[in-house]
Each structure stands twice: as structure tokens, then as C-alpha cells.
């Protein structure tokens, strides 16, 4: 059995539920409706936007991935 999550606009929810209800009985074992949204989405979005602006302005330095990996490899080989 597999679980599938589908995000649907509120205005289209009834259409989707109608489709699910009209499927053969052995196709869908069960379904539930969750109206909860990601409680931390706005907080993460704000943090990422701030980080992006800080990187663009130079306030937050960009990490050079290649040199960081090279340093890590050297450290591990030592």
C-alpha cells in the first residue's frame, strides 16, 4: 500500500472528493481531509528571504563549496 498526498485549492476540493468517492471500492483503502497547513512555512520563508538578501548585500559571505570540500579532504587525510 502507498500513501499519496495531494494539495488542492479549497475551491477544487469538492471536485477531487467526488472523484475519490466514485472510484471502485478496492481502489482507495481510505482517505482523510486535512485543512492544516505547514505552520512554519512563513517563518522559514522569511528566514530564507533574509538570508538571500544578506548574501546579495555581502553581509553573509558565500561559502566556496570546492575549497571547503578540498579543505575537508585534506583534513580527513591528515
Amino acid at each position: 500500500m502507498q500513501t499519496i498526498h495531494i494539495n488542492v485549492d479549497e475551491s477544487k476540493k469538492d471536485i477531487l472528493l467526488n472523484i475519490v468517492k466514485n472510484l471502485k471500492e478496492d481502489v482507495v483503502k481510505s482517505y482523510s481531509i486535512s485543512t492544516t497547513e505547514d505552520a512554519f512555512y512563513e517563518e522559514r520563508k522569511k528566514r530564507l528571504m533574509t538570508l538571500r538578501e544578506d548574501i546579495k548585500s555581502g553581509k553573509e559571505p558565500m561559502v566556496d563549496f570546492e575549497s571547503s570540500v578540498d579543505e575537508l579532504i585534506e583534513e580527513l587525510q591528515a
Side-chain angles (χ1 to χ4, degrees):
M1 185 182 332
Q2 292 188 347
T3 301
I4 300 172
H5 297 273
I6 302 173
N7 293 323
V8 180
D9 287 333
E10 186 69 30
S11 63
K12 307 290 185 191
K13 180 182 72 173
D14 292 333
I15 296 169
L16 180 64
L17 287 176
N18 212 9
I19 292 169
V20 170
K21 288 176 186 176
N22 289 310
L23 292 173
K24 290 183 180 178
E25 289 181 21
D26 63 341
V27 174
V28 177
K29 301 291 181 199
S30 66
Y31 66 92
S32 64
I33 301 169
S34 174
T35 57
T36 59
E37 294 184 16
D38 183 353
F40 300 102
Y41 172 78
E42 290 299 326
E43 186 178 323
R44 285 194 316 274
K45 180 180 174 183
K46 182 179 176 185
R47 174 65 185 125
L48 288 173
M49 294 304 289
T50 302
L51 181 59
R52 182 174 182 249
E53 290 302 316
D54 288 350
I55 290 170
K56 280 184 171 183
S57 71
K59 186 177 176 183
E60 183 75 33
M62 285 286 291
V63 175
D64 181 6
F65 180 76
E66 299 242 351
S67 65
S68 296
V69 170
D70 291 343
E71 290 173 14
L72 177 62
I73 290 172
E74 288 177 19
E75 186 178 319
L76 291 173
Q77 290 175 344

